[in-house]
Amino acid sequence: MVILVNVLSATHSDILQREHAAFAPSILASAICGNYVDFNKSKKKNTFSWDKCLVDIVLHPGKKWMEDIHTIYTPMIWNNSHWVGLAINLDMGLVEILDPLPALHGVRRVGKLMKPLVASLPYLVKKVAMCELTQFTGLKSFIWKRIPDLYTNTRSGDCGSVSMKFLEMHAHGDPAPHMSSITDRVVDDIHKQYAMDIYKTIVLPSYYAGHITDA
């Protein structure tokens, strides 16, 4: 997923820059959830020491949250088995969940899976990005909602690619054929396209760079 996040960031750099948005690696959600037990026990949550990997994401040069970036697109894995896409609107304190198989987890279960993320985000933003805007004054948890009526994928092994495609389409305003109109055949094409994108964006440049160096 790290490679695919990097490829999509490069492929859609123009629209992301115009919309003040960015793709973030899945370690964003996993590191926040990994910190949550200690964060939740902390009596001084305002000064909690966040992992360096999270600080680096929030303060990435040219992509500082709440200054350059206001929407984050990132994948999240639930129970180490199911990928979903998250569209995090920092201004609204809203996390939209793009789930390829919503029947897998009920509302109560999703709430438990999302709690570490939505409870931690306002503290992470306020401390690391040093944001003093009014929506972070009370440090209220972000709100999550699962986007309805999306394509449902019941095939094993597709959820990662489908979640990333959802995020890609969300960044572009969900153009035709729309997330609701994706089919299994389209998913097969998505796998092929992503493989080609990775080859063109990462494999080929690395190959030619090596040959130039050898020359």
Side-chain angles (χ1 to χ4, degrees):
M1 293 295 276
V2 173
I3 292 175
L4 190 50
V5 166
N6 290 337
V7 168
L8 293 180
S9 295
T11 303
H12 303 288
S13 58
D14 289 343
I15 184 69
L16 292 171
Q17 186 174 10
R18 287 199 303 271
E19 298 299 325
H20 300 284
F23 280 95
S26 58
I27 195 173
L28 171 63
S30 62
I32 288 176
C33 292
N35 279 193
Y36 184 67
V37 172
D38 291 336
F39 169 76
N40 197 39
K41 290 179 181 178
S42 176
K43 294 182 179 180
K44 297 181 179 180
K45 292 181 171 61
N46 285 312
T47 58
F48 183 78
S49 182
W50 296 99
D51 281 358
K52 183 178 184 301
C53 64
L54 293 173
V55 175
D56 289 344
I57 291 172
V58 175
L59 299 180
H60 191 285
K63 294 182 180 180
K64 181 180 177 181
W65 289 16
M66 298 305 297
E67 186 173 304
D68 308 300
I69 301 298
H70 296 272
T71 302
I72 310 296
Y73 294 110
T74 188
M76 180 180 186
I77 193 165
W78 290 346
N79 296 329
N80 293 316
S81 61
H82 179 63
W83 288 101
V84 299
L86 305 180
I88 304 171
N89 188 309
L90 299 174
D91 291 324
M92 297 177 64
L94 173 67
V95 181
E96 294 179 302
I97 304 172
L98 304 159
D99 188 350
L101 188 57
L104 190 61
H105 298 292
V107 173
R108 183 175 298 179
R109 181 59 180 159
V110 174
K112 290 181 179 179
L113 291 166
M114 293 298 295
K115 183 177 180 180
L117 185 72
V118 297
S120 301
L121 274 171
Y123 289 89
L124 176 66
V125 174
K126 184 176 177 62
K127 183 193 175 185
V128 179
M130 295 184 289
C131 181
E132 299 297 334
L133 297 181
T134 55
Q135 63 264 47
F136 297 104
T137 301
L139 295 169
K140 294 181 180 179
S141 293
F142 277 35
I143 297 170
W144 65 266
K145 73 172 184 177
R146 196 156 45 176
I147 303 301
D149 304 321
L150 303 181
Y151 156 73
T152 299
N153 179 270
T154 57
R155 303 187 307 183
S156 177
D158 286 340
C159 59
S161 295
V162 174
S163 295
M164 293 305 297
K165 190 62 179 180
F166 282 163
L167 293 178
E168 186 181 1
M169 296 176 76
H170 189 291
H172 284 266
D174 192 20
H178 308 298
M179 289 182 271
S180 60
S181 300
I182 294 175
T183 64
D184 288 348
R185 181 173 293 181
V186 171
V187 172
D188 291 337
D189 292 336
I190 290 170
H191 286 303
K192 296 174 185 176
Q193 185 61 54
Y194 281 164
M196 287 298 298
D197 289 344
I198 291 171
Y199 183 77
K200 290 187 295 184
T201 306
I202 294 178
V203 178
L204 275 181
S206 299
Y207 173 81
Y208 285 116
H211 277 62
I212 292 172
T213 301
D214 293 340

